[in-house]
Amino acid sequence: MSESIQRPDDDDPDGDAAPDPSSGILRVFGRQLKRFRLRAGVERSEFGARLGYSTSTIAAYEQGRRVPPPRFIDQADDLLDAGDVLKEMKEEVARAQYPAFFRDAAKLEAEAVELHVYATKAVPGLLQTEEYARAVFTMSRPLLPEETVEQRVAARLARQKILARVPLPTVSFVIEESVLRRPLGGWTVMRGQLEQVLLIGQRRNVEIQVVPTDLEEHAGLEGPFTLIETRDGRRIAYVEGYKDSRLHTDRGPVPELEEQYGILRAQALTPRASLIFVEKLLGES
């Protein structure tokens, strides 16, 4: 059956919601962290000083109010002799950086053997530079706290590991020309973003295609979506909409979106022509 999930209206599925402070995994991790710290007989201030974190930050981690970075988890586990108990929670803790609506999709994305993305509003998160991602989150309304912006940027960059994962997944992007012409963050940021699109587009497991704005026929007018195929052969679609995104897991909408994507690829510039187009945009910027 299809799963209905809510999300903000942008082209970035790990978008603009702050981490859920009541996230169960954060509370569990925090309790375990505190338990191991007390067992080791280490005060918060000393523990933080030894790892390079403030006492207030350690308190926030122990209370499940902030998402600890993977490096902290590794260091804490080693320092407290936690026997990998903390490290084993690292993946689930990292997923808590995403809004609740995207966590299931993020898990599926990370394990995908095929991933196909149609983008209409912003450069897809898997292609974004740090500067572009920060610009996207900074301009979000209502405004996000600086700490949340940085957490979102880190989460977005971490997702990009899938592009180099072994075995290599098959990944494709169909991007509207208008997305590549919209200088989010300014032309300096956009130039770096276009360079990254070119760089990633040269990977042998990645294909990037541009849909020209002057196209007279268009199969994707209903908006952006992502197609996912898992290791066990499941085919899933993540469809973006205003405050009502959906993770479709049934055989109803999925074939329809697969058909749309196939036609969009046929209507778009070829991967080679698309990279030439991006090079031309770079020359104009």
Side-chain angles (χ1 to χ4, degrees), residues 137-204:
F137 290 126
T138 299
M139 67 182 65
S140 178
R141 295 296 185 274
L143 291 171
L144 299 174
E146 288 296 328
E147 181 179 332
T148 301
V149 169
E150 294 308 313
Q151 287 177 344
R152 290 287 176 261
V153 171
R156 176 148 303 172
L157 297 180
R159 286 174 55 209
Q160 297 174 3
K161 292 186 294 185
I162 186 180
L163 299 176
R165 193 197 66 210
V166 179
L168 289 173
T170 298
V171 185
S172 72
F173 301 91
V174 173
I175 306 173
E176 291 292 330
E177 175 185 339
S178 58
V179 167
L180 300 176
R181 289 189 178 277
R182 184 177 298 124
L184 299 182
W187 280 112
T188 300
V189 170
M190 195 63 199
R191 183 174 181 82
Q193 180 60 71
L194 292 174
E195 290 173 347
Q196 173 130 314
V197 169
L198 277 178
L199 184 65
I200 296 178
Q202 294 171 15
R203 292 175 179 260
R204 63 191 182 94

Side-chain angles (χ1 to χ4, degrees), residues 14-255:
D14 52 351
D16 58 1
D20 181 3
S22 64
S23 172
I25 185 61
L26 294 185
R27 294 199 307 272
V28 171
F29 176 85
R31 287 197 296 265
Q32 292 296 318
L33 177 65
K34 182 177 181 179
R35 181 169 69 87
F36 282 114
R37 178 180 62 77
L38 294 176
R39 188 188 69 172
V42 182
E43 295 292 329
R44 275 181 183 163
S45 56
E46 178 187 354
F47 181 54
R50 292 173 68 176
L51 294 182
Y53 294 83
S54 68
T55 303
S56 61
T57 297
I58 299 300
Y61 291 160
E62 291 185 348
Q63 294 162 10
R65 294 185 289 105
R66 290 182 59 180
V67 182
R71 184 169 177 270
F72 169 85
I73 296 175
D74 289 337
Q75 291 176 322
D77 194 286
D78 293 339
L79 179 61
L80 300 176
D81 193 23
D84 289 346
V85 171
L86 300 179
K87 291 179 181 179
E88 288 174 356
M89 289 187 278
K90 187 162 55 175
E91 182 178 335
E92 289 296 325
V93 168
R95 198 171 295 126
Q97 296 178 94
Y98 305 120
F101 65 80
F102 185 62
R103 288 173 194 158
D104 288 341
K107 186 178 189 327
L108 291 167
E109 178 187 84
E111 299 172 352
V113 295
E114 288 191 24
L115 193 64
H116 306 288
V117 181
Y118 172 49
T120 67
K121 301 175 186 177
V123 173
L126 292 176
L127 297 177
Q128 289 182 9
T129 64
E130 179 177 346
E131 294 76 16
Y132 186 95
R134 184 171 290 107
V136 168
F137 290 126
T138 299
M139 67 182 65
S140 178
R141 295 296 185 274
L143 291 171
L144 299 174
E146 288 296 328
E147 181 179 332
T148 301
V149 169
E150 294 308 313
Q151 287 177 344
R152 290 287 176 261
V153 171
R156 176 148 303 172
L157 297 180
R159 286 174 55 209
Q160 297 174 3
K161 292 186 294 185
I162 186 180
L163 299 176
R165 193 197 66 210
V166 179
L168 289 173
T170 298
V171 185
S172 72
F173 301 91
V174 173
I175 306 173
E176 291 292 330
E177 175 185 339
S178 58
V179 167
L180 300 176
R181 289 189 178 277
R182 184 177 298 124
L184 299 182
W187 280 112
T188 300
V189 170
M190 195 63 199
R191 183 174 181 82
Q193 180 60 71
L194 292 174
E195 290 173 347
Q196 173 130 314
V197 169
L198 277 178
L199 184 65
I200 296 178
Q202 294 171 15
R203 292 175 179 260
R204 63 191 182 94
N205 64 315
V206 176
E207 289 190 334
I208 297 174
Q209 293 180 253
V210 177
V211 180
T213 300
D214 60 2
L215 199 66
E216 294 184 0
E217 297 183 356
H218 198 299
L221 297 179
E222 293 185 357
F225 57 85
T226 298
L227 300 172
I228 303 169
E229 182 168 341
T230 64
R231 292 190 183 100
D232 58 3
R234 287 188 299 157
R235 291 153 70 184
I236 298 161
Y238 181 79
V239 182
E240 302 176 32
Y242 180 68
K243 295 185 181 299
D244 186 30
S245 289
R246 295 174 182 268
L247 190 63
H248 294 282
T249 58
D250 66 276
R251 295 302 297 162
V254 176

